[in-house]
Every structure is written in C-alpha cells, then in structure tokens.
Amino acid sequence: MPNHPGFDGVGRVFHALADPTRRAIVERLVRKPAPVKALAEPLAMSLPAVMQHLKVLEEAGVIVTEKVGRVRSCRIEPKALREAEGWLSGQRTEWERQLDQLEDYLKGK
C-alpha cells in the first residue's frame, strides 16, 4: 500500500479511513493513546487481523506505533489527518464557489 502508484499522502489517509474498523480505532486513539491489546479487545476479530488494520493506518501516517518492553502502543499522528482536512477544506471552498455562481446565474445576476 505505501508504494501504490495511485495514492499520494492524502489518498493513503482516505484509503485507511475508508474501513469502519480503522475509523473506530482512530476514534479511540483520538481520545488517548492505547496499547494494541486494548484496541483489539472490543473488536470482533483476531489480534493478527487488528494488527493488519494498524499497519494500514501506520503506513498512511495516521498513527504511530511504539514498542516499550513487550507492549506495543499506538497514538494518533495529527499531521496526516491535517493534510486530509486541508484537502477537504479546499474542495469545500471550490464547491461553495461553484454553488454561489449557480445561485447568481439562477437569480439572473
């Protein structure tokens, strides 16, 4: 996934967030960092499956994992999310501009 030719940084973030399990993990990590085991507990899947989801999030730059002793913990990396938010904001500005133009046209301005 990290070297996928069709994805830039923002594309990797959107790909990572496209999955509901990964979004649930991100929502938990936004509140506070957590060990992998704690992230896996509420999910109805094996630990290796959770690790695959974490790998996608980490490769997209959405999270950072750190191993201290025998415990691997995860935390949010805000930079990637900010870049995706910036892209969305730019799109919203363009959509609003086009809607304003349409409104002016329909009003005969």
Side-chain angles (χ1 to χ4, degrees), residues 39-108:
L39 291 171
E41 285 174 2
L43 302 174
M45 61 182 65
S46 67
L47 185 58
V50 171
M51 293 297 292
Q52 286 287 49
H53 283 292
L54 294 174
K55 180 179 178 185
V56 171
L57 289 167
E58 188 169 27
E59 288 176 349
V62 175
I63 68 168
V64 174
T65 63
E66 301 167 314
K67 189 170 185 181
V68 177
R70 297 175 60 189
V71 177
R72 180 167 293 282
S73 294
C74 303
R75 65 176 170 79
I76 287 292
E77 177 53 59
K79 182 181 178 213
L81 294 174
R82 276 192 222 110
E83 289 173 0
E85 180 183 23
W87 183 87
L88 282 172
S89 178
Q91 295 305 305
R92 183 180 61 242
T93 300
E94 179 60 22
W95 300 330
E96 289 170 353
R97 186 189 64 75
Q98 290 181 15
L99 287 172
D100 289 344
Q101 286 179 340
L102 177 61
E103 181 181 22
D104 289 346
Y105 174 78
L106 293 174
K107 288 180 177 178

Side-chain angles (χ1 to χ4, degrees), residues 17 21-31 57 62-63 76 81:
L17 297 176
T21 298
R22 292 192 286 267
R23 286 194 308 270
I25 291 170
V26 168
E27 288 169 5
R28 291 188 62 205
L29 291 175
V30 164
R31 287 183 241 129
L57 289 167
V62 175
I63 68 168
I76 287 292
L81 294 174

